[in-house]
Structures are given as C-alpha cells and as structure tokens.
Amino acid sequence: MPLSLTVSDEVRVLAPGFTHLAVEAHGLVNGPSTEASSALLDDAARRLAVRLDGRAPHEHPHIAAWREVYAAFGAKPSRTRNSAEALAKRALTGAGLPRVNLLVDLYNAISVAHLVPVGGEDLDRIQGGMRLVRAAGDEEFVTVAAGQEVVESPEAGEVVWRDDAGVTCRRWNWRQGPRTRLTEETVSGIFLLESLAPMPVADVERAAAELAELLEKFSPGARIGTVGAAG
C-alpha cells in the first residue's frame, strides 16, 4: 500500500492554497553522484536562471508565498528559507548546487528547475504514516550538530512533517533529519513535492512526472507510482 500522507486541519487553515504530490518508488538503485546527475544539476541551474529572468529567488511569486506562510507560523523566512529558495540561491552562485548522492541529485534538480520544494525520504526508515502538523513543542527531532547526533524539539506552532517516531522535517521543508534521509543503501523512497497558490497544480504535476521519468531512467525496473495532488 502507498505510504499514508495526511495534512492536519490546522495546517490547511494556515495555508489553504497548499498542495502536495508524492512519487513513491521501489527497487531504486542509489550511489554516489555521477557525471550524469551532475549535468542534471547544472542544467537545472540554467533553467532556473531563465525562469527568474534576472529576479532574485524570493521575488518569484511562489517563493514569496512560502515566505508569507513561514512568517505566519513564526519562522523568519530570511534566515530559515524553504528548501526550494535555499537551493535556488546556491544554484545562482559560483559554488553551484551540492552533489550529495544520485537520488538526492535527481530531486534537487527537479526542485531547482521548477522552483518547488521537493524532499526525499527512505520508506524503510519511516515508522507509520507521515503527517504534516503544527508542533506541540515536545516532539523529538534527531539531527546532527558539530558532528554529533543531538535531539531537539520544534517550537510550539511550528509546521513539521512527522511519523510515529518523531519529527522528520522541521519548519515545513527547511531541515530534514538524518533518520529518514536517502542514503546510498536506499532502495525504496517517497519524494514529496509541495506548492502554494499561486502555483497551478498542473505545474506541480509536470514536475512530478519529470521526476518519475528520471527515477525510471536511473533505476531501470523500479516500480514507481504517483499519488494524486491534494490540497
């Protein structure tokens, strides 16, 4: 059965224009970044430059909408940028986009090219379903600081993704925890694309279709399905 993804009523009230679309894949083959995945990232940066046409990422209507929502739940959007804006800023610098591993490179390329937040989780490390909620403030988020694993908690009211074991991503799509991230051993993954109005749902669907095509190309024989868009 596909992984259960639910959005709480509190989050729907906060962001009525929110849509999420998931690509679920089994039989994946991951590994270190390759010349092919690196070329995809470089091409995504070029596509982003065309899309922005000289504007800064935060001036794009979709990123501006994310900044408004971040501010609405108490985050400082200039300091804790949503994942799409953070990647876009890196893509436009001389340093370029990071090369992490094959699967992460693929979804980062889609995020940058379409200017939409995309996250990837290892299905075998998720406990129960995933839920987008406003945090109580006592949940556990396992992360790494100064090379050491530490446990912290989100702020009360913060929007987080979580499973039965704890928070998997803080501040909506700002920082993913290492517990469920995609590693070179990952064989099953869920790739979550998130958007806000004014981005049309059809644009998110095109981004998801492109990601599914890349997953099929780089993991021949993988079983890939797309969960329909939901507000």
Side-chain angles (χ1 to χ4, degrees), residues 125-131 138-142 151-152 161-168 179-180:
R125 300 184 179 195
I126 295 171
Q127 299 185 33
M130 291 184 62
R131 307 182 294 281
D138 57 358
E139 299 88 347
E140 289 191 352
F141 178 72
V142 180
V151 179
E152 59 185 37
W161 279 102
R162 64 160 301 157
D163 65 3
D164 290 351
V167 173
T168 57
R179 174 171 61 87
T180 58

Side-chain angles (χ1 to χ4, degrees), residues 71-103:
F73 67 78
K76 292 182 172 58
S78 295
R79 189 170 65 187
T80 55
R81 297 179 177 91
N82 73 84
S83 63
E85 182 181 354
L87 280 173
K89 284 181 66 67
R90 290 197 61 168
L92 297 174
T93 67
L97 290 164
R99 275 59 172 168
V100 180
N101 60 51
L102 182 59
L103 291 177

Side-chain angles (χ1 to χ4, degrees), residues 187-198:
V187 294
S188 295
I190 188 83
F191 301 86
L192 187 64
L193 297 86
E194 301 178 288
S195 72
L196 295 168

Side-chain angles (χ1 to χ4, degrees), residues 66-79:
W66 277 108
R67 282 188 163 221
E68 289 179 6
V69 167
Y70 266 48
F73 67 78
K76 292 182 172 58
S78 295
R79 189 170 65 187

